[in-house]
Amino acid sequence: MEQNGLESNKKIAIPVDLIRTIAIGLVVLLHASNEALETSSVPMPYWWTAIVYKSLALSCVPLFVILSGALLLQPAKLDEPIRVFLKKRLSRIGLAFVFWSMVYLAWGFYVTNVPVTLDNVVQGIVKDLFTGAWYHFWFIYLIFGLYLITPILRVFISNGNPRITRYLLSIWFTGIAILPLIQLGLGYTLNAGVFIIGGFIGYFVMGNYLQKVTLRPLILHGLLIASFIGTIFGVWLMTYPLSNLGQNNYFLGYLTVNTIVGSAALFLILLKSKPDWPGARLTLARRVVHAISNNTLPIFLFHVIILEAFERGLLGFKLSFTTLNPIVEIPLLAALTFFITFGLILLMRRIPVLKKLIG
């Protein structure tokens, strides 16, 4: 990129509300597509429909992490005391974690018909604390981890230079995405100890670095489309020609070449949106997007209950791939889940006690 003169040190205003709103919308879409992928004996056309929708939504979590890096790793925040930083952020997310863990503990008893005994409640609380109350709670542990390492990365970013950051991202990308791909094809790889920088750290650092990068819109959109097509092709490859490997979900992960490239491209596309992006000129649209942005944490934590209520028929009717073709069912389920969850969160905000607990 440097050779092509594509880097820029120009300060960029980040359209935070827009990025958060798109990211949380993609989260709901991804979860809405999971039922058909996690159920046995699904008609193949239905399964592929779910694959397409999930492929479109894979950038959801990476977008959140990249945005967090862009906001938290600013050199101007280097002087913020570690204690102040951690207290301010962990208190909010900690209260939300405890509150929603209790909600999902009760939800779990309700949907599984497990007897509500003291022993089961205690075991449930311990499990929720260490492993998460529901499948999507893994993201909260990730956020905790990123907060803990933020003060260290701030020093690295402020004292480093773009070449050092590129070097770190290169090591991360090679270890987290390239080597597993080689192993998938050849069956051999280097010992994991060679590349010790893993997980979502690369996305987090990328948030700071991408603000200094500019690419032509044609290239960015091409990368985004290539990422989507690559995901679909990769799933097809693992499902048919290489089915003996048993890895047909490999390309549906967050730490794969296709998802990393697509997430970076999508972030850069959204980064080019000015603070007065078209929807921002419409007062109502701007207010709605801002409200969604301010409530992404409770929406993220709460929406699975609404989603599962639809899939289980607990709201008076069942909305599932078993009752409606997934081409329509998945986006409809995602839209209804999103807006019902958002509406209920806004109502909870009006209750003083819940306002402090939901996140």
Side-chain angles (χ1 to χ4, degrees):
M1 287 187 294
E2 188 177 30
Q3 293 176 348
N4 295 324
L6 297 175
E7 289 196 1
S8 171
N9 292 321
K10 183 179 179 181
K11 181 69 175 179
I12 299 176
I14 304 174
V16 176
D17 288 347
L18 181 62
I19 295 174
R20 281 180 180 162
T21 298
I22 290 176
I24 192 62
L26 291 179
V27 165
V28 179
L29 177 62
L30 183 141
H31 288 159
S33 67
N34 278 342
E35 184 190 20
L37 299 177
E38 297 171 353
T39 305
S40 59
S41 302
V42 176
M44 193 55 67
Y46 286 13
W47 188 81
W48 275 109
T49 299
I51 289 292
V52 170
Y53 280 120
K54 186 162 185 173
S55 299
L56 289 171
L58 276 177
S59 294
C60 56
V61 170
L63 266 186
F64 274 126
V65 179
I66 294 172
L67 178 61
S68 295
L71 297 175
L72 296 178
L73 298 181
Q74 297 175 13
K77 296 184 177 182
L78 179 62
D79 294 332
E80 182 180 23
I82 295 177
R83 181 177 180 181
V84 173
F85 168 78
L86 293 178
K87 182 179 180 180
K88 182 166 55 177
R89 286 162 179 84
L90 295 183
S91 59
R92 176 181 175 233
I93 199 172
L95 283 174
F97 175 80
V98 172
F99 173 76
W100 289 108
S101 291
M102 295 300 100
V103 170
Y104 276 91
L105 179 64
W107 176 252
F109 281 122
Y110 175 68
V111 297
T112 61
N113 294 317
V114 173
V116 183
T117 64
L118 179 61
D119 185 55
N120 286 339
V121 170
V122 171
Q123 288 184 16
I125 291 174
V126 173
K127 171 188 169 295
D128 291 353
L129 177 63
F130 286 96
T131 62
W134 223 248
Y135 65 84
H136 61 308
F137 270 64
W138 71 270
F139 183 70
I140 303 302
Y141 294 90
L142 171 63
I143 294 300
F144 273 124
L146 292 176
Y147 284 165
L148 291 176
I149 202 172
T150 292
I152 300 171
L153 292 178
R154 279 179 175 175
V155 176
F156 168 79
I157 294 296
S158 63
N159 293 334
N161 58 60
R163 290 185 179 181
I164 296 297
T165 304
R166 279 198 300 275
Y167 177 64
L168 183 147
L169 290 174
S170 298
I171 294 175
W172 171 75
F173 184 72
T174 301
I176 208 71
I178 299 298
L179 283 185
L181 195 61
I182 294 174
Q183 182 181 21
L184 188 66
L186 302 179
Y188 298 96
T189 189
L190 289 175
N191 187 286
V194 176
F195 294 92
I196 62 174
I197 300 174
F200 284 78
I201 290 179
Y203 280 125
F204 198 55
V205 173
M206 195 187 296
N208 177 271
Y209 179 74
L210 289 179
Q211 295 176 74
K212 306 175 182 69
V213 174
T214 57
L215 288 171
R216 292 192 298 273
L218 182 62
I219 295 177
L220 292 175
H221 286 87
L223 289 173
L224 188 60
I225 294 171
S227 169
F228 171 70
I229 295 175
T231 302
I232 300 297
F233 176 75
V235 174
W236 174 85
L237 197 65
M238 294 294 103
T239 303
Y240 297 111
L242 301 178
S243 60
N244 60 302
L245 297 179
Q247 296 288 335
N248 64 342
N249 287 326
Y250 173 81
F251 289 93
L252 297 175
Y254 296 124
L255 301 174
T256 57
V257 173
N258 51 299
T259 303
I260 294 171
V261 171
S263 300
L266 180 56
F267 181 78
L268 285 172
I269 290 171
L270 296 175
L271 200 60
K272 291 180 178 295
S273 302
K274 304 299 180 183
D276 60 342
W277 49 277
R281 300 193 194 104
L282 304 174
T283 303
L284 179 59
R286 186 172 188 174
R287 289 173 60 189
V288 170
V289 170
H290 183 66
I292 292 172
S293 173
N294 284 343
N295 288 284
T296 49
L297 179 59
I299 291 173
F300 177 87
L301 291 171
F302 183 32
H303 80 276
V304 172
I305 288 179
I306 305 301
L307 184 74
E308 292 187 355
F310 275 121
E311 292 174 342
R312 295 171 181 269
L314 300 178
L315 298 178
F317 63 96
K318 189 174 184 179
L319 187 53
S320 164
F321 76 92
T322 60
T323 59
L324 189 64
N325 191 300
I327 294 177
V328 176
E329 178 263 333
I330 290 176
L332 178 61
L333 175 61
L336 288 175
T337 296
F338 184 89
F339 287 108
I340 290 176
T341 302
F342 178 48
L344 291 174
I345 291 297
L346 292 182
L347 291 177
M348 292 181 191
R349 287 284 183 205
R350 295 179 176 273
I351 304 174
V353 176
L354 288 182
K355 181 179 180 179
K356 297 180 179 180
L357 295 176
I358 62 176

